[in-house]
Structure formats: structure tokens, C-alpha cells
Amino acid sequence: MTAQRSGSIFGLLQWQIRNVIFYVAAGTAAVGLYELGKAYGVEITVPVLPLSIVGGALGIFVSFRSNAAYDRWWEGRKLWGRLINTSRHWASQVAQYVRDPQKREEMIKRHIAYVHTLRCALRVQDPLKDPDCQAWLTDVEKEELPDQSNPTHYLLNRQLHDATALADAEQLDPFRLQSMDESVRHLLDIQGGCERIKKTPIPRGFAYIAEILIQYFSFLFPLAIVAHLSLWVVPINVLVCLALMLINEAGRVLEDPFTMFWNGLPLSNMSWTIEHNLRNRLGEPERSLNPIPGPDENGILM
């Protein structure tokens, strides 16, 4: 996620250099056709009114896709906000309800492993190769995790298994077991919401139609205004069409909030935040923990 608000217009143009070249070529071609037509006594233009209607409809269309993509991004952030709060609640429950210090530590550490494993799953990374997951998974979990279709559900299932075993051994009050069961259900709801966003992309037709329409618009729009603007039609065409394309691109880069691209949510930062909070519940003071990394030199927070 970009943590800084400043940006460069040159960086923006470099990002969209192919489209900029295309729009410059389209505007230049319109000027050439218009001048060629004048040489033969023919005015090669298109009516302004139809293009203005098409431009307005196109702006609404690309904005709709971008709004839908932002809703997905913001929902992902809200789900991870709930994960942070539910993780804190779970750690407090375990710290207060579980009497066995060894089992208490095991269950809290397993939840840290769960959060890092969920991060890896959403970013399509192997949790067994992630150092943060490796640090908190037990040997048994490392051995069994590759055979699980859903590693995160496996870890939550082990949590509930341990809590049920404690209740059967009369080391956990049934009402407290019910409360912990409810926390696991909330965690599964959060995980399911993240998986739904990750595995259900916005239909490709939205982006494809928008891109095609903008390309055709970039050819016709200069022909509608070239008689009034002459060579100025080239930068105007770039400005108008690039604005439409950037709105469309904003939707594309926000569509997957769990990507490793610069627009993705800072899952690593939030995972480390949860880890620090839970390690505090284990009695480790914050000053003894490594500081949570902030934005890098480019202002990107991962």
C-alpha cells in the first residue's frame, strides 16, 4: 500500500507510456486527415454531439468499475481490521480461560501461525517457506500442513480441538468453551470473506469493454474537435483519454486487495501487529520485540 501522498506526473506518464503514445498517434492522425481533407476541399470531421454522449457514458462506465474495485479493496481492509480485533480477543480468552501455561502458550502461538498462514494463502505464497510461519508452526503442523486443502482451517480446527479437550478434562468451563467456539466462528467468517474476494475477480468483460471503447474514442474524439483546435488536439486527446484510462486502471489495480503490487493491503504490517499484540499476552514486553517495519524508501507499506 502506498503510504505517501506525493507523486510525480512523469512517473504517471511512464506507467501509462504505451497508452500515451497511442493517444498521441491518434491525435496526430486526426490532424493529418483533417489537413489532407482540406487540401482536397473535404472536411474530415465527426459531429461533436454523439461523441459528447459517448464520452459521458464511457466516463460513467469506467467509474462504475473503479467504484466496484474500491469496494472490494475497502472490504478487504475491514475484514483484516476485524481479524486484528478478533485475534486480540482470542488471545485474551486463551490467556484468561486456559489454566495450563504450556497449553496457553501453544494456542496463542498457533494463532500467530494462523495469521501468517492466512497472509501467505491470500498472497499465493507457500507458508512452509515463509520465515514468520516457520517460526510459529509446531513440527507436527509442519508435517501435516502440506496435506491440507485449507491450511488455515486446519489450524483453527486444532484450536477448537484443544479447547474441547480441555473442556472434556474439566479444565475449561462449558460457557467459556462456547465463547471460544464463537471466536473461531468469527475467524472463519473473516477468512471466508477474504477468500471470496481473492477467488472471485471482477468479470473481465468490464475491463475489456472499457479498454476497447477508450481506444475507439481516442480516434473519434480528435476528429470532432480538430477543426477548432488544430494541433492542440493532440495534448487534449492525451489528457481526456488518459484520464478515462487512469480511472479504468485504478479499478484494475484495486481489484485484488491482497496482491503484492504497490496498491495491495499491508498484510505483512498487520500480521506483525497481531504477532506483537499476542506476544504481549504471553508476557513479552514490547521493548524486547523487533520493531514493526514501516514504509520502505519508496513509501510502500507491505
Side-chain angles (χ1 to χ4, degrees):
M1 183 181 72
T2 303
Q4 63 182 12
R5 296 184 180 274
S6 60
S8 168
I9 186 64
F10 297 105
L12 194 65
L13 292 174
Q14 185 178 7
W15 177 38
Q16 294 292 315
I17 188 62
R18 290 186 178 181
N19 288 323
V20 170
I21 293 173
F22 185 84
Y23 303 144
V24 169
T28 304
V31 174
L33 284 174
Y34 180 74
E35 294 298 331
L36 181 63
K38 279 206 313 184
Y40 288 94
V42 180
E43 188 176 84
I44 304 177
T45 59
V46 297
V48 175
L49 182 59
L51 263 296
S52 62
I53 296 174
V54 171
L58 185 56
I60 294 173
F61 183 77
V62 296
S63 297
F64 171 79
R65 177 175 182 264
S66 295
N67 288 338
Y70 180 76
D71 284 343
R72 291 163 57 89
W73 188 91
W74 183 238
E75 183 183 0
R77 180 59 185 90
K78 289 191 292 184
L79 286 169
W80 268 76
R82 286 173 55 197
L83 178 63
I84 292 173
N85 290 337
T86 306
S87 297
R88 291 167 176 163
H89 181 58
W90 170 262
S92 294
Q93 286 178 315
V94 173
Q96 300 301 321
Y97 297 169
V98 179
R99 303 169 191 168
D100 183 351
Q102 183 176 353
K103 181 59 67 175
R104 182 191 310 144
E105 181 177 345
E106 179 184 335
M107 294 179 73
I108 290 179
K109 287 183 176 180
R110 183 183 293 129
H111 189 78
I112 297 175
Y114 166 79
V115 172
H116 286 299
T117 302
L118 179 60
R119 167 181 56 80
C120 290
L122 294 174
R123 287 179 167 176
V124 197
Q125 298 171 336
D126 186 355
L128 294 178
K129 295 180 180 179
D130 185 87
D132 292 311
C133 292
Q134 287 278 349
W136 301 105
L137 291 170
T138 65
D139 292 337
V140 173
E141 290 162 355
K142 290 177 184 177
E143 182 180 348
E144 296 181 354
L145 208 63
D147 297 326
Q148 303 299 319
S149 61
N150 193 308
T152 45
H153 183 210
Y154 160 77
L155 293 173
L156 288 180
N157 185 67
R158 284 180 62 87
Q159 297 281 51
L160 199 55
H161 175 272
D162 285 358
T164 303
L166 289 171
D168 291 342
E170 297 184 352
Q171 297 181 25
L172 185 65
D173 184 272
F175 292 104
R176 290 177 176 178
L177 173 63
Q178 182 180 3
S179 176
M180 295 177 76
D181 177 80
E182 187 69 11
S183 294
V184 171
R185 186 183 71 81
H186 282 304
L187 290 168
L188 281 172
D189 285 343
I190 294 167
Q191 175 185 323
C194 293
E195 291 172 344
R196 169 175 49 81
I197 294 173
K198 184 68 178 181
K199 297 179 180 180
T200 312
I202 295 177
R204 171 58 185 162
F206 281 96
Y208 178 74
I209 292 172
E211 291 167 7
I212 293 298
L213 288 176
I214 293 172
Q215 287 181 354
Y216 279 106
F217 185 78
S218 70
F219 273 114
L220 296 175
F221 178 65
L223 289 173
I225 61 175
V226 65
H228 305 285
L229 299 178
S230 187
L231 287 174
W232 282 102
V233 76
V234 177
I236 295 298
N237 190 49
V238 172
L239 178 63
V240 172
C241 295
L242 186 61
L244 292 172
M245 184 57 73
L246 285 174
I247 296 173
N248 187 58
E249 283 291 282
R252 182 183 67 82
V253 300
L254 289 175
E255 181 179 347
D256 182 0
F258 309 121
T259 182
M260 289 294 289
F261 195 44
W262 55 264
N263 61 283
L265 290 171
L267 301 189
S268 297
N269 181 272
M270 289 187 281
S271 298
W272 291 323
T273 298
I274 294 173
E275 178 182 324
H276 276 225
N277 294 163
L278 269 60
R279 290 175 72 176
N280 291 158
R281 300 290 71 74
L282 289 173
E284 298 183 50
E286 184 65 21
R287 62 179 178 275
S288 69
L289 305 177
N290 293 327
I292 299 174
D296 62 15
E297 64 276 7
N298 296 315
I300 305 299
L301 183 64
M302 296 304 294

